Structure formats: C-alpha cells, structure tokens
C-alpha cells in the first residue's frame, strides 16, 4: 500500500505540476506528497521531477514513467477497493474435483440451496475418478478418498467407505445365497480396475467372527468406474463389491440385494480436501470456507455418514 501511495502522489503531482495541488486532491499535506515522491525516486533509482520554487517539471525518465503507470493506476485502485469491499464475502469460481457417481447422486442435490445462499459463487466441477493434486492443479477443494496429503492440504472426514457384496434379485433367485465369501469364486462377478494403477481391486472382507477373506473372483465384466459396476450389477451380470454410497439407493428400492450381510470391507473414509492458509482459516477464501461449512452441516443434517455405514444398508431416511 505504501508503494501505491507513492505512485498516486507522483501521478497527481505530475498532472497538477505541483505538490500542493496534488496534496489537496489526495487529502494529504504537501510535505507528505513530497516525501512519497522522494521515496519513489529512491526506490526506482532515478529522478522523476526537476524541482523549482515555481513549478514541477518531469524529467525525461519521469515522463516515460508517467506514461507507463498512469493508465494502470485507476485499475489498481479499483481492484484494491473491490477486494477490500468484498473481503470475507463468498464470491468467485470454486473449483471442485469429485467422482461422477458420488457427486451427481449425493452432492449435486445439495447445490441449489448453496448457490441460493451465495449467489456470487460459481461452481466449476471436474467429475473424475482419478486422484488429483489439489494445489498443483488449482482446485479449491476435492471430495474422495486416498488423496495424498501434501504440505498445506487438510482432509475433513465426511463419512466412512464401507464396501459390501450386492447382486440383482434375479441372480440370487438363480443361484441362491452364498454362506461364505469363498463361494463367490464360483459366481460370475463384476470387478473394479483402479484408474490409477490399472490393478483389479481385491478387498479383504471382515466376517462376524473376526475372519478376513479376500475372494478370488470370476470376473465377467471389468471397468474402471464404480457407476459402470453398479449398472452391471443391476443388469444381473454378476455379484459386485460396491461402496455403500453407490449401493444404498438400490438396496432401498430392492433393485439390488445385499449378499453376505455379515461381511464388509473398510476402505477408510470419504474426505473433503482443501488447502490451508499459512496465516490461518480467517484468510482462507470465503467461497471455500462457506462451502466446507455448508457441506459438513448437510452431511450431519441428512445423516449421510450413518447411511453409508455397512450395518445400516437399508435404513435410509
């Protein structure tokens, strides 16, 4: 701000050909304007004015400098006034990364109310199953799991990631109900391939007696997108290991049935990732701060964490 004040004193003095006249425009004393200009000359290492008792005259360097900065000064002043006036007010584009299915099913329905509360915020979503680099790729936030916590990145837990076995009623009618995960190796299955590593997902399922089993599946359909697996399971193409957020609505409707209800895999949590500010949360962009607060409050209000727990697959409100 001191540099801007020095620039403004220089431009107004050049326009008025007088420190006194510039001082009246800037509501400063002539001595203060003179000091500002002298400090600017010292910082630049050049003389900007030829001073006399009668009139200020620009040097050649001063004339060149005036032409360079005069047109930009108003824009800088406007930008500073705008950001000061809007400081703390949620505004601007909020870039968010999240998976397509989870985002469209569970997050998008929450956004009309968010945008109604904060009309100056614009949402820019990247729907992808890949793990992004939050800071390097310029995201304000991300929702998912397994994102590396680089320096300055914070993870806020939203809900557990519990994976369960599901199948279409038609498939169960044809084959019956298995009693142990090892039996699933004889079933047709749909299986997830990691978008990051290309490896097939194999989960260790925990049983009621503390046993952990990782079934070897007879995968008839493989995809790198959980929504594709969900659709394949709905079509009766095989038994599927789905995370609760992808399965819960279909369990409620009866289009999918839980297989081996005493078994599940715990993959950690769904997190909300965002960058911290070195000076603290008070200097975090307001658009990001209100989005975090809103999303956490909505997860609590809708009991989404409880809906996504494996022991309550159909208790949906």
């Amino acid at each position: 701000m001191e540099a801007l004040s020095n620039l403004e004193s220089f431009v107004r003095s050049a326009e008025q050909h007088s420190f006194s006249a510039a001082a009246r425009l800037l509501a400063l004393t002539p001595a203060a304007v003179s000091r500002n200009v002298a400090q600017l000359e010292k910082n630049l290492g050049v003389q900007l004015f030829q001073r006399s008792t009668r009139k200020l005259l620009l040097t050649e360097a001063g004339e060149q400098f005036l032409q360079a900065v005069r047109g930009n000064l108003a824009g800088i002043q406007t930008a500073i006034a705008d950001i000061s006036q809007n400081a703390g007010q949620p505004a601007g584009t909020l870039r968010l990364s999240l998976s397509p299915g989870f985002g469209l099913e569970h997050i998008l329905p929450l956004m009309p109310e968010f945008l109604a509360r904060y009309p100056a915020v614009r949402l820019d979503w990247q729907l992808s199953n890949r793990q992004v680099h939050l800071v390097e790729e310029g995201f304000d936030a991300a929702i998912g799991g397994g994102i590396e916590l680089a320096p300055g990145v914070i993870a806020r837990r939203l809900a557990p990631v519990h994976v369960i076995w599901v199948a279409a009623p038609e498939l169960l009618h044809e084959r019956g109900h298995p009693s142990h995960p090892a039996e699933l190796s004889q079933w047709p299955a749909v299986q997830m391939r990691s978008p990051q590593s290309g490896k097939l997902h194999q989960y260790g399922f925990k049983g009621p007696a503390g046993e952990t089993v990782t079934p070897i599946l007879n995968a008839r359909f493989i995809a790198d997108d959980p929504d594709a697996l969900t659709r394949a399971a709905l079509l009766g193409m095989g038994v599927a290991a789905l995370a609760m957020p992808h399965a819960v609505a279909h369990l409620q409707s009866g289009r999918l049935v839980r297989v081996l209800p005493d078994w599940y895999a715990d993959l950690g949590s769904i997190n909300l990732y965002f960058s911290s500010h070195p000076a603290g949360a008070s200097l975090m962009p307001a658009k990001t701060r209100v989005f975090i607060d809103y999303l956490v409050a909505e997860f609590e209000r809708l009991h989404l964490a409880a809906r996504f727990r494996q022991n309550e697959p159909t208790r949906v409100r």
Side-chain angles (χ1 to χ4, degrees), residues 142-212:
I143 300 174
I147 293 179
E148 181 182 354
L149 290 182
V153 175
I154 295 174
R156 180 78 176 267
R157 190 177 188 274
L158 294 175
V161 180
H162 288 168
V163 174
I164 62 171
W165 293 109
V166 297
E170 297 80 8
L171 183 63
L172 293 172
H173 180 73
E174 174 188 337
R175 302 189 65 99
H177 286 262
S179 60
H180 191 274
E183 298 174 31
L184 295 180
S185 62
Q186 305 302 317
W187 284 52
V190 299
Q191 193 168 7
M192 178 79 176
R193 184 187 298 279
S194 169
Q196 282 77 36
S197 68
K199 297 180 179 179
L200 294 177
H201 282 188
Q202 293 182 312
Y203 308 118
F205 279 77
K206 300 176 182 178
E211 182 184 8
T212 299

Side-chain angles (χ1 to χ4, degrees), residues 224-240:
D224 64 355
D225 177 57
D227 300 306
L229 297 186
T230 304
R231 290 182 176 273
L234 289 167
L235 292 170
M237 294 172 62
V239 65

Side-chain angles (χ1 to χ4, degrees), residues 160-164 206 244 251 258 260-266 305-314:
V161 180
H162 288 168
V163 174
I164 62 171
K206 300 176 182 178
M244 284 295 296
L251 293 172
R258 185 166 178 181
L260 297 166
D262 292 329
W263 295 78
Y264 78 102
D266 187 348
R307 291 179 63 182
F308 298 160
R309 290 193 187 100
Q310 63 83 27
N311 60 339
E312 295 184 334
T314 59

Side-chain angles (χ1 to χ4, degrees), residues 40-58:
L40 180 62
E41 290 176 320
K42 180 179 178 181
N43 292 341
L44 295 174
V46 295
Q47 185 177 354
L48 299 174
F49 286 113
Q50 294 286 357
R51 293 163 172 81
S52 72
T53 56
R54 297 179 56 191
K55 195 175 184 180
L56 283 177
L57 296 175
L58 287 167

Side-chain angles (χ1 to χ4, degrees), residues 109-143:
L110 307 178
M111 292 301 99
E113 173 62 24
F114 176 78
L115 292 177
R117 291 189 191 183
Y118 307 106
V121 175
R122 179 175 62 181
L123 299 174
D124 182 353
W125 283 17
Q126 177 179 290
L127 296 163
S128 172
N129 291 313
R130 72 181 183 88
Q131 296 175 0
V132 300
H133 296 281
L134 200 69
V135 177
E136 294 178 13
E137 298 183 46
F139 287 103
D140 296 292
I143 300 174

